[in-house]
Amino acid sequence: MSAVYESDAQRTPIASGRERYLCHTPNLMMVVVDFNDGPTAQPDPPHSHPHEQVTYVAEGEVLFFIDQVGYKLKVGDMIAVPANVPHTVQLLTQRVRLVDTFNPIRADFLK
Amino acid sequence: MSAVYESDAQRTPIASGRERYLCHTPNLMMVVVDFNDGPTAQPDPPHSHPHEQVTYVAEGEVLFFIDQVGYKLKVGDMIAVPANVPHTVQLLTQRVRLVDTFNPIRADFLK
């Protein structure tokens, strides 16, 4: 199936108040991540992965940290995360939607 | 620069009422495409490219055609376009924002 409709997407809980749904080709994965637990008092613990990542902010505002440098992002902004570089977010609004994209695909998200 | 802010992004006109701005890593490109010329009476001419594509609908509604099969998409929906498969859109609302992502990057968009 080519299209993934939000109305009937398979949503995966990832933490309290957070869930995702996704769509991918063989080498490109797009993941909509909905946060409903903000604002948060501090950033999440940083993480890294060998996948390159580009993120679009579709709702809300965040502080997006790449290697400890913070970028304040709001709807319409994008950010590029190189492979293997630690990154994380701090939510500045209650609701946030990030559209994370990855190459290669996050096979760990398909389990 | 890691972040691309909508407020000061370099926008590229692509047609009357249509423009884009983008952000990328070496192998992954995200392109925000703003259409302000809808609704359109018929689909644009189909096109194809060797790049895999996944698109997120950030604003408005479209009919997204892949190989002549139409999918009606609205905000929050995604669609996957395999490499080399003809695809196009027909706008159903005046304003539409698509977040197109590609692997490999669209080098033609960096000229």
Side-chain angles (χ1 to χ4, degrees):
Chain A
M1 180 61 168
S2 298
V4 171
Y5 301 102
E6 180 175 3
S7 58
D8 64 357
Q10 182 182 338
R11 288 176 168 264
T12 301
I14 52 180
S16 178
R18 302 181 178 192
E19 54 186 25
R20 68 172 175 243
Y21 61 100
L22 58 80
C23 178
H24 68 95
T25 56
N27 296 293
L28 175 59
M29 177 177 278
M30 178 178 277
V31 185
V32 175
V33 187
D34 284 329
F35 304 77
N36 197 26
D37 61 328
T40 46
Q42 54 189 20
D44 293 349
H47 69 288
S48 64
H49 42 66
H51 316 71
E52 298 178 15
Q53 177 178 338
V54 182
T55 291
Y56 174 83
V57 180
E59 185 176 345
E61 295 185 21
V62 297
L63 272 176
F64 199 112
F65 292 89
I66 298 182
D67 228 357
Q68 302 186 47
V69 178
Y71 302 87
K72 186 175 178 180
L73 304 180
K74 59 183 193 304
V75 174
D77 297 340
M78 294 180 277
I79 194 161
V81 184
N84 299 307
V85 174
H87 56 282
T88 189
V89 291
Q90 178 176 359
L91 310 181
L92 300 180
T93 52
Q94 185 195 333
R95 288 172 54 88
V96 169
R97 170 172 284 189
L98 300 182
V99 180
D100 290 338
T101 57
F102 302 98
N103 164 259
I105 66 169
R106 295 288 302 261
D108 51 322
F109 287 178
L110 296 176
K111 288 174 183 168
Chain B
M1 180 61 168
S2 299
V4 172
Y5 301 101
E6 181 176 3
S7 59
D8 64 358
Q10 183 182 338
R11 288 177 167 264
T12 300
I14 51 179
S16 178
R18 301 182 177 191
E19 54 186 24
R20 67 173 177 244
Y21 60 100
L22 58 81
C23 178
H24 69 97
T25 55
N27 297 292
L28 175 60
M29 178 177 276
M30 177 178 279
V31 184
V32 175
V33 187
D34 284 329
F35 304 78
N36 196 26
D37 62 328
T40 46
Q42 54 188 22
D44 293 349
H47 69 287
S48 64
H49 42 67
H51 316 71
E52 298 178 13
Q53 177 177 337
V54 182
T55 291
Y56 174 83
V57 180
E59 184 176 344
E61 295 185 21
V62 296
L63 272 176
F64 199 112
F65 293 89
I66 298 182
D67 227 357
Q68 303 185 48
V69 178
Y71 302 87
K72 186 175 178 181
L73 305 180
K74 58 183 194 303
V75 174
D77 297 340
M78 293 180 278
I79 194 160
V81 183
N84 300 307
V85 175
H87 56 283
T88 189
V89 291
Q90 178 176 359
L91 310 181
L92 300 179
T93 53
Q94 185 195 334
R95 287 172 55 88
V96 170
R97 169 172 284 190
L98 300 182
V99 180
D100 290 338
T101 57
F102 302 98
N103 165 259
I105 66 169
R106 296 288 301 261
D108 52 321
F109 287 179
L110 295 177
K111 288 175 183 169

